[in-house]
Amino acid sequence: MSKALPTRSENYSEWYNELVKRADLAENSPVRGCMVIKPYGYSIWEKMQRALDDMFKETGHTNAYFPLFIPKSYLSKEASHVEGFAKECAVVTHYRLKNDPNGKGVVVDPEAKLEEELIVRPTSETVIWSTYKNWIQSYRDLPLLINQWANVVRWEMRTRLFLRTAEFLWQEGHTAHATAQEAVAETKQMLEVYAQFAEEWMAVPVIKGVKTPNERFAGAEDTYCIEAMMQDGKALQAGTSHFLGQNFANAFDVKFQDKEGKLDYVWGTSWGVSTRLMGALIMAHSDDAGLVLPPKLAPIQVVIVPIYRNDEQLAQISEKVAEITKDLKKLGISVKYDSSDNAKPGFKFAEYELKGVPVRLAMGGRDLENGTVEVARRDTKTKETVSVEGIAAYVQNLLNDIQESIYKKALQFREENTYKVDSFEEFNNILDTKGGFILAHWDGTSETEEKIKEETKATIRCIPLNQEAEEGVCIYSGKPSKGRVVFARAY
RNA sequence: CGGGGAGUGGCGCAGUCCGGUAGCGCAUCUGGUUUGGGACCAGAGGGUCGCAGGUUCGAAUCCUGUCUCCCCGACCA
């Protein structure tokens, strides 16, 4: 393994790719566009899952599991839905292989062709709504609040580890309601859950907003989203929550009888976040030395490295460390003591920095004598020598401080890279020189949005929920506008 | 699908132009010395050179075909 990571300023995307591999988060698999999530990376994902799952349960949802395969005909039942996904579906056409009659290996058995091809789910609205038809008859069956943790496949043309892979892991919530108002409230509630998770757990500040019709989910009436800014100034959609109206209920004939005995179609929502969050996490905080993980999601929160001259000294240090470890664990802090003898301390320091461990303790002969320990924090790379007395509480505070401070740093970065712009010239100028989020007036038409996208590669990330009413004119068309929207180049 | 690049021990690469039976660094294993910011010495193990044909006494190297992966664009979470 070579030593230095490419730097962010040198080549941001190479830095990202290398970091993902070197920090042992994930690697490419033999199949194009698919990834192997390695144990260290998966541990982070598990922590995300745990936190999110708790939040879903707290808001009344339960988990279920629907199948991987979807009959091809299902996908076409909702017109705009098939339109949106048809181009990136993996299709199962056969169910058997046989030995190649003319040589080695196996071939698809042509006699094992399926009557109806199966689609590997790109998302599960269709199977789920076809199932809901059987589950919902009365208003008493509503609301139906279900989530599933699953993998989905979208045959993307260009892929990048975590940010866009052909197969990815995610969570998809699918709810059914008796009224539009209730479904909209659910959509907004889950957006809040996502925003809260991003900010409190990932320490990534997000802008909550609504997508324009162009950027809407295929089959939705409205798509709400959270948008985060990465360190290269590009936007990353970190989560979406869709108000589906009665579209899928219509397509799959899901009706319920209300209190008055009237039949009506059910109102739906769906919402999801994926392993893409891993990409957001990495790009939001990490630096040229490697990952910087928020303590709440770090698989290892504290690593302890002994510095010793002989076995006897190591034994003394280990004894001291055992006490510290015990105290830390009592506070619910995860600790790793790395006393392996195949690497010198300096190597270990670099290694755990690469892996983003928030706090490192080093203890050597000097510390033994003085009753101290060296405490290093990953985010600022600062070190100090602290008394062993009360070290657990000290570390606990430090972890909280790191969590808060990386959030603030990311927020500050976003604010410094957000610009209010009133002319198309300035718009272009900022995109090409600085990047970041641009708050600008837009006339509300898809045509203008398309043209701006064609000319600048910037898209409307969202119409912010907290948009201030402000009279202005569209930077592109000059037509009147009532508020600013968020433009950016995006992942 | 367009444009670039690459397939050689676990990883990163050299060797290919000019054919002669495979090498370097890292990692691994053994032994020893080390350990406050990426240690050193000595020894060892490990490769049908992406795949299939062809040319040749002889192919990682030349020819033909084929597969795959990576990067940059158009599609998307």
Side-chain angles (χ1 to χ4, degrees):
Chain A
M1 192 188 292
S2 63
K3 285 175 187 175
L5 213 54
T7 63
R8 287 165 293 173
S9 54
E10 219 168 73
N11 187 338
Y12 193 81
S13 67
E14 198 184 325
W15 165 83
Y16 174 83
N17 289 335
E18 279 298 305
L19 177 52
V20 168
K21 286 179 202 163
R22 297 239 205 119
D24 268 339
L25 300 175
E27 60 190 35
N28 283 305
S29 81
V31 179
R32 194 198 84 91
C34 293
M35 67 176 163
V36 175
I37 305 176
K38 298 180 76 176
Y40 191 65
Y42 201 80
S43 304
I44 299 172
W45 176 241
E46 281 180 320
K47 290 212 153 195
M48 290 185 173
Q49 282 185 302
R50 175 72 62 91
L52 283 164
D53 201 62
D54 286 347
M55 292 166 105
F56 299 156
K57 303 265 169 69
E58 216 156 280
T59 43
H61 303 85
T62 49
N63 287 330
Y65 186 80
F66 295 84
L68 172 66
F69 300 122
I70 301 177
K72 191 180 70 178
S73 57
Y74 278 32
L75 214 68
S76 53
K77 291 196 178 178
E78 211 287 334
S80 57
H81 189 67
V82 68
E83 171 93 9
F85 288 104
K87 286 169 289 182
E88 51 188 38
C89 283
V91 185
V92 179
T93 55
H94 292 75
Y95 58 85
R96 193 166 61 210
L97 299 171
K98 62 176 188 180
N99 288 323
D100 185 349
N102 338 303
K104 345 170 193 168
V106 286
V107 294
V108 173
D109 185 343
E111 285 173 22
K113 194 164 159 46
L114 289 169
E115 282 295 314
E116 178 177 1
E117 290 95 341
L118 300 173
I119 309 301
V120 180
R121 62 180 167 219
T123 179
S124 302
E125 275 77 5
T126 56
V127 230
I128 289 180
W129 281 90
S130 76
T131 308
Y132 281 2
K133 176 180 166 57
N134 301 323
W135 292 2
I136 299 168
Q137 278 87 36
S138 144
Y139 72 94
R140 294 180 201 276
D141 298 323
L142 298 172
L144 186 55
L145 305 173
I146 288 179
N147 175 63
Q148 90 165 339
W149 290 96
N151 58 339
V152 288
V153 169
R154 297 181 189 175
W155 215 261
E156 299 290 350
M157 291 184 247
R158 264 202 73 219
T159 60
R160 292 188 68 193
L161 293 170
F162 289 121
L163 295 175
R164 182 172 303 110
T165 46
E167 178 193 15
F168 56 94
L169 305 185
W170 79 345
Q171 143 289 302
E172 47 182 325
H174 296 273
T175 68
H177 306 265
T179 65
Q181 297 87 305
E182 203 185 301
V184 169
E186 165 77 5
T187 311
K188 289 181 176 167
Q189 172 186 242
M190 297 324 286
L191 186 77
E192 286 301 326
V193 164
Y194 288 155
Q196 191 188 344
F197 173 76
E199 300 194 333
E200 289 179 13
W201 289 79
M202 296 173 62
V204 173
V206 292
I207 292 179
K208 290 173 280 191
V210 192
K211 289 289 185 192
T212 61
N214 265 354
E215 301 278 328
R216 211 175 264 162
F217 173 75
E221 295 283 308
D222 253 323
T223 288
Y224 292 78
C225 63
I226 52 173
E227 294 285 331
M229 185 189 290
M230 303 294 101
Q231 288 182 70
D232 60 352
K234 285 169 83 174
L236 189 136
Q237 179 177 306
T240 47
S241 184
H242 315 290
F243 169 59
L244 302 176
Q246 293 172 309
N247 292 344
F248 285 90
N250 260 299
F252 290 91
D253 195 35
V254 186
K255 291 182 206 162
F256 74 104
Q257 208 167 14
D258 67 17
K259 274 183 191 158
E260 283 79 46
K262 255 190 356 239
L263 268 187
D264 193 11
Y265 287 107
V266 167
W267 299 83
T269 82
S270 70
W271 28 275
V273 296
S274 71
T275 35
R276 183 178 232 204
L277 288 179
M278 293 285 293
L281 187 70
I282 297 159
M283 289 199 291
H285 305 303
S286 303
D287 61 25
D288 294 343
L291 274 183
V292 172
L293 293 175
K296 283 189 179 179
L297 294 175
I300 302 167
Q301 292 173 309
V302 178
V303 64
I304 307 179
V305 177
I307 301 160
Y308 55 94
R309 296 187 186 282
N310 50 50
D311 287 351
E312 190 194 345
Q313 196 176 39
L314 176 60
Q316 285 172 0
I317 292 168
S318 297
E319 199 180 319
K320 206 78 196 159
V321 166
E323 291 170 26
I324 296 173
T325 303
K326 207 172 122 196
D327 291 347
L328 286 169
K329 283 189 175 162
K330 258 188 228 158
L331 297 178
I333 296 166
S334 59
V335 191
K336 175 175 175 175
Y337 177 44
D338 186 353
S339 61
S340 60
D341 65 350
N342 57 352
K344 296 208 331 182
F347 183 91
K348 292 178 186 173
F349 293 172
E351 189 67 17
Y352 291 109
E353 276 164 12
L354 180 62
K355 291 196 155 194
V357 177
V359 172
R360 180 184 75 232
L361 303 182
M363 184 178 271
R366 240 159 39 205
D367 297 300
L368 275 183
E369 276 175 33
N370 305 333
T372 57
V373 65
E374 183 188 80
V375 182
R377 56 186 283 176
R378 174 62 185 89
D379 62 332
T380 56
K381 299 238 273 171
T382 49
K383 296 192 281 199
E384 53 193 336
T385 299
V386 178
S387 166
V388 172
E389 286 303 315
I391 186 68
Y394 182 90
V395 167
Q396 188 177 41
N397 282 333
L398 186 58
L399 289 170
N400 291 336
D401 191 41
I402 293 172
Q403 181 81 31
E404 201 174 310
S405 124
I406 63 175
Y407 173 79
K408 283 187 185 149
K409 191 177 167 192
L411 181 59
Q412 192 188 346
F413 180 84
R414 189 185 78 191
E415 282 167 358
E416 284 168 2
N417 289 281
T418 300
Y419 309 92
K420 275 194 183 177
V421 163
D422 292 310
S423 77
F424 194 54
E425 192 188 346
E426 198 187 345
F427 182 92
N428 272 307
N429 192 17
I430 286 182
L431 274 178
D432 291 339
T433 55
K434 301 171 180 162
F437 288 176
I438 298 181
L439 306 175
H441 282 283
W442 163 61
D443 63 18
T445 68
S446 289
E447 297 81 66
T448 299
E449 188 181 2
E450 282 293 337
K451 280 183 181 150
I452 292 176
K453 185 178 176 182
E454 269 170 43
E455 291 180 32
T456 67
K457 288 183 192 164
T459 49
I460 298 177
R461 301 319 303 158
C462 67
I463 302 158
L465 292 187
N466 63 358
Q467 186 193 42
E468 292 166 31
E470 179 191 296
E471 295 293 327
V473 294
C474 173
I475 49 158
Y476 191 84
S477 68
K479 290 180 192 159
S481 148
K482 289 200 166 59
R484 293 174 187 270
V485 299
V486 181
F487 282 93
R489 291 195 177 131
Y491 277 98

